[in-house]
Amino acid sequence: MTDFPNKLHRPFLVILLVTLSLAGCGGGGAGAPSSGGAGLSTYSAKSGVAQKGPLIRGSTVTAQELDANLSPTGKQYSYQTDSDLGTFTPTSAFGSQYIGVSANGYYYDEAQGAVSTGPITLTGYSDLATDTVLNVNLLTALAYQRIQHLVVTSKLSFAAARSQAETEVLAALNIPPGSYGSFSTLDLAGHSDGDHILTAISTLFVTGNTSGTMSALMANFQSDLGANGKLTVPATKAALATAAKSLDAAAAATNLTHEYSSLGLTFTAADINDWIDRDGDGVVGKFKFSVPDATSASTFTLPSSLVDQIASTTASVTGGQLSVNGTVVTGPVTIMAGDLVAVSPGGGTFPNGVVTVYLLSGGNRVARVSFVVGLLGIMLTPSAPSLPKGLTQQFKATGTFTDTSTADLTGSVIWTSGSPTVASIDGASGLATALSVGSSAITATSGSVSGTTSLSVTAASLESVAITPSSGTVGISNTVQLSALGSYSDGSTADVTRTVAWSTSDPTLASISASTGLLTGVALGPVSVSATRGAVTASVPFTVIPTTWHQAASMSTARDSFTATLLANGKVLAAGGLTNDAPGWVASAELYDPTADTWSTASSMPAPRWGHTATLLQNGQVLIAGGASASSAPGSQVVIVTSTELYHPDTNTWTAGANLLSQRVQHTATLLPNGKVLVVGGLQEGPGTAAEIYDPIANNWTPAADLPFAPVFGHTATLLANGKVLVAGGITFLANPTNVQPPPTAVLSSVAIYDAATNTWSAAANMLTARSQHGAALLASGKVLVVGGDTNGTVAGTAVPVNSAEIYDPVADTWTAAASLGTVTAGGVATLLPTGKVLFAGGVPNSGTPFLSSAQLYDPAADLWSAAPNMITGRAGHSVVLLNTGRVLAVGGASGNGSDTILASAELFP
């Protein structure tokens, strides 16, 4: 039995002593960015919008002040979208007219009619001397690098650079110049040509792409256009051409109408088709015209809006004849606004078939007129196809003419579907989409001639199967539960784990239940695991390894009292912590890739901190909250902070979050089912709230109800199956009228349950043993296991480690004794494995002995602890992460071998 502080591993000891030494010294956390002194902030925006499709509620928007050369001034501000229409409120007063805007989040995918499966980042520039809205959208992102190049390298003014870059972006997409409005004024919910262009290009880039592949396409477009204002890379051109041919404008318009129904908006296929070059001839749909039943005397007068767009440029035609104000011209001619411009098939004998005339402006095609003559019939192919629900079918229309010749009329006819609820068809391209089981007549019409075939739609078919985890290891006699997700032709997905047939390439190495997907290691070696249903098969590689701890790659920085967070992409973010080198704490962060077993440098936090919490939010970002950090206060080295940071994995950047209401270090943070975060306890330098709630959408903290007891640190917070939070044990400070240092403490057996729906705490049954720095794990049964930790010593203010364990039943509100560990320990980590067993590893035994390398496995069904292989290194204050592969990563902490060396090493089990 020893004095309480000496029972704690290094970070607890350091933080406790530092906190006591700073009591009454003041301090506090870093605040949100300031816009400067009075009178300096003269620019503002009345509103903001972030759109690809619209970014959903809770997406992050960062506004950065820039000088006239587009260099950051050092001031930036963060907001969050407050609706699924991408709107946000930029409340800041800006000290510069030039603002760089970056928005990150999930978006509405109009091609799929659903929220994207991953986030995307959009960028843009605003000039608040002229812009009233902070607007970031797909088009501003495409022009972003080109504007920067023109300002920085070509020394253009911002206004000139933006105008030139936007014209070049449109030209790269075959859209002729026009009065569409600056990209920063466009809105998917608007009705202008510019708004429809944004809708069309948004649909073009999302068609056939996930968030990841679309981000790559955007990046390729930006970098290619950035240097010279043109698209030159064949792969980028090909990707856009493929998307243009395959996009379903009618379906996208229907999906957008549904998404914007609250605003009473209706989108049409023409909104999209008008601004897409579907067949790759260089002309967008709005300027493709057809003259059916034509004669040699036929003429077509071009719309005045098109003429005005190309005014003051040199125009000519290919394949026909051009006339201006009734006068035939035989060469290039300068077109003026208001001119009457017409085209005809040209002189001489008019051939049967199709005569295509292109209008050129400055050498670029801007309009196409197809004259169709002598058409007898139209044949559609394929004839009477059958198509599973959700798939698309490209129809082709072939015309037969009076001279027995044939010609492709696919882009010159009008396509219709007899039963649009069964199958829709793009009126310009002939691309049909199977919507529901049934049959529909598909018709192509040119003037008085038409052709028809039928399309039968069958039930959705299984297209692919994805196995999770996608690769991994399994120890001999250990098991890993695999799952299979089926993707169907209609875009739906379903869990098919129990309807596929599971198999392994070598049952002597690994066996698998054919109906459940439970994989068991048999002997050492590599093996392939397959899931099959009908003609669809998926396979993933696994390796059977010894059931022991394996050395993993080490971090670049030794860390103790840090956080390790499993990201949505399967990597692990390690951030902050205490280290061996002066000054003893770090702001750095790094990423572990389990597939490659490598650590790579991540962006550093704005300031060092340790004893903080890290919470993976539902939007994929990581919330870092509180902790202890460096202080600028005279005579002090550290300060407990209120500041928070948000890490964005897709951009590897940090942005400031709202400050906590109270300073906290060694607190707990729990993600609630509603997406908010509950923070409880923590050492504080002064009065503060016992618990508070973070709302990622509003980016603010609000007080939570007070707990029935007051844990400071060393408690656990466990999210129960019913969505409530169980807070158990911990250390509290006792009354100290004589100001004894360190102040007297006690270990608690108290338990409370938080209900987020009502913002209330209720006292629960006390634990059988008072505990702090114990392990806790939610079992598959919904019960909670707590194990080990410190309990009160026989002398006030002292604590001793225990090996006892107990289980809480939330339904009965009772604690029952469980089997005891093989050794006493505090600071060990309990991890629920995919097998349903609990791994408990490391920790601090009796004072003066090395930190534990021992590990034990708890079987809830048998109420039995069994020895697991020892870790390679004894450690406490370490982080433990259950990877998507089913393996356990133990990393960092302190060795406790007399010098309390902080570790960079990591190891994996099994």
Side-chain angles (χ1 to χ4, degrees), residues 467-520:
I467 299 175
T468 302
S470 58
S471 63
T473 59
V474 59
I476 295 177
S477 299
N478 278 20
T479 60
V480 174
Q481 179 62 60
L482 277 68
S483 63
L485 184 70
S487 297
Y488 289 81
S489 58
D490 62 354
S492 64
T493 58
D495 185 350
V496 294
T497 302
R498 293 183 176 271
T499 60
V500 295
W502 294 94
S503 62
T504 67
S505 59
D506 190 343
T508 65
L509 297 180
S511 63
I512 191 167
S513 168
S515 59
T516 67
L518 186 66
L519 181 69
T520 302

Side-chain angles (χ1 to χ4, degrees), residues 486-676:
S487 297
Y488 289 81
S489 58
D490 62 354
S492 64
T493 58
D495 185 350
V496 294
T497 302
R498 293 183 176 271
T499 60
V500 295
W502 294 94
S503 62
T504 67
S505 59
D506 190 343
T508 65
L509 297 180
S511 63
I512 191 167
S513 168
S515 59
T516 67
L518 186 66
L519 181 69
T520 302
V522 178
L524 301 180
V527 67
S528 176
V529 181
S530 299
T532 302
R533 189 164 126 187
V536 178
T537 297
S539 298
V540 295
F542 263 78
T543 302
V544 183
I545 60 176
T547 306
T548 186
W549 290 86
H550 300 263
Q551 192 73 58
S554 294
M555 295 183 292
S556 61
T557 300
R559 301 177 190 271
D560 191 0
S561 198
F562 67 109
T563 55
T565 310
L566 181 67
L567 304 178
N569 59 14
K571 295 183 179 181
V572 176
L573 172 72
L578 293 165
T579 192
N580 294 307
D581 302 323
W585 44 80
V586 292
S588 64
E590 46 194 306
L591 290 165
Y592 179 67
D593 184 343
T595 303
D597 184 32
T598 56
W599 291 89
S600 58
T601 301
S603 295
S604 293
M605 295 184 292
R609 66 177 78 212
W610 67 97
H612 52 282
T613 56
T615 309
L616 181 68
L617 304 177
Q618 291 180 347
N619 61 11
Q621 298 171 16
V622 179
L623 171 70
I624 300 289
S629 186
S631 172
S632 59
S636 299
Q637 290 185 320
V638 295
V639 65
I640 302 175
V641 301
T642 60
S643 61
T644 70
E645 308 290 343
L646 290 164
Y647 179 71
H648 307 269
D650 52 331
T651 58
N652 186 31
T653 57
W654 296 89
T655 57
N659 283 359
L660 288 157
L661 303 177
S662 301
Q663 300 164 329
R664 301 181 190 274
V665 63
Q666 297 293 4
H667 47 292
T668 59
T670 307
L671 180 67
L672 302 173
N674 61 10
K676 298 180 180 181

Side-chain angles (χ1 to χ4, degrees), residues 248 382 384-395 422-424 431-439 442 454-461 463 489-490:
D248 188 335
S386 178
L387 191 65
K389 177 186 173 186
L391 295 187
T392 59
Q393 175 65 64
Q394 177 63 60
F395 283 93
V422 173
S424 65
L431 181 69
T433 301
L435 301 177
S436 61
V437 176
S439 180
I442 302 298
S454 63
L455 172 62
S456 297
V457 179
T458 59
S461 60
E463 297 281 286
S489 58
D490 62 354

Side-chain angles (χ1 to χ4, degrees), residues 726-756:
L726 178 79
V727 173
I731 293 171
T732 191
F733 288 108
L734 301 176
N736 190 21
T738 58
N739 197 29
V740 174
Q741 297 299 330
T745 60
V747 179
L748 301 168
S749 62
S750 306
V751 179
I753 295 178
Y754 180 71
D755 186 341

Side-chain angles (χ1 to χ4, degrees), residues 180-368:
Y180 307 123
S182 172
F183 289 173
S184 62
T185 67
L186 305 183
D187 191 338
L188 289 171
H191 300 285
S192 70
D193 280 349
D195 299 328
H196 291 162
I197 289 172
L198 176 60
T199 304
I201 303 308
S202 173
T203 304
L204 175 68
F205 272 75
V206 80
T207 296
N209 286 316
T210 63
S211 59
T213 55
M214 183 173 66
S215 295
L217 178 59
M218 290 171 55
N220 292 338
F221 187 105
Q222 290 171 318
S223 61
D224 192 12
L225 189 86
N228 57 21
K230 296 180 180 180
L231 282 188
T232 59
V233 178
T236 304
K237 292 182 176 181
L240 292 172
T242 298
K245 291 178 181 178
S246 61
L247 72 80
D248 188 335
T254 299
N255 292 335
L256 285 168
T257 297
H258 180 268
E259 180 68 6
Y260 282 89
S261 60
S262 63
L263 302 180
L265 294 174
T266 300
F267 295 79
T268 68
D271 295 338
I272 297 169
N273 275 328
D274 277 357
W275 303 103
I276 300 293
D277 175 13
R278 299 297 300 269
D279 56 15
D281 68 349
V283 180
V284 295
K286 187 177 180 68
F287 305 121
K288 284 177 176 168
F289 311 99
S290 181
V291 181
D293 304 323
T295 69
S296 57
S298 295
T299 61
F300 181 82
T301 302
L302 296 168
S304 59
S305 59
L306 173 61
V307 174
D308 291 344
Q309 283 184 218
I310 63 172
S312 302
T313 67
T314 301
S316 60
V317 295
T318 61
Q321 193 170 68
L322 174 69
S323 64
V324 179
N325 298 323
T327 300
V328 174
V329 294
T330 57
V333 61
T334 300
I335 300 293
M336 303 304 295
D339 282 349
L340 191 67
V341 179
V343 296
S344 63
T349 302
F350 194 95
N352 289 328
V354 181
V355 173
T356 300
V357 181
Y358 285 101
L359 175 69
L360 279 63
S361 172
N364 297 318
R365 292 177 176 180
V366 294
R368 183 188 79 188

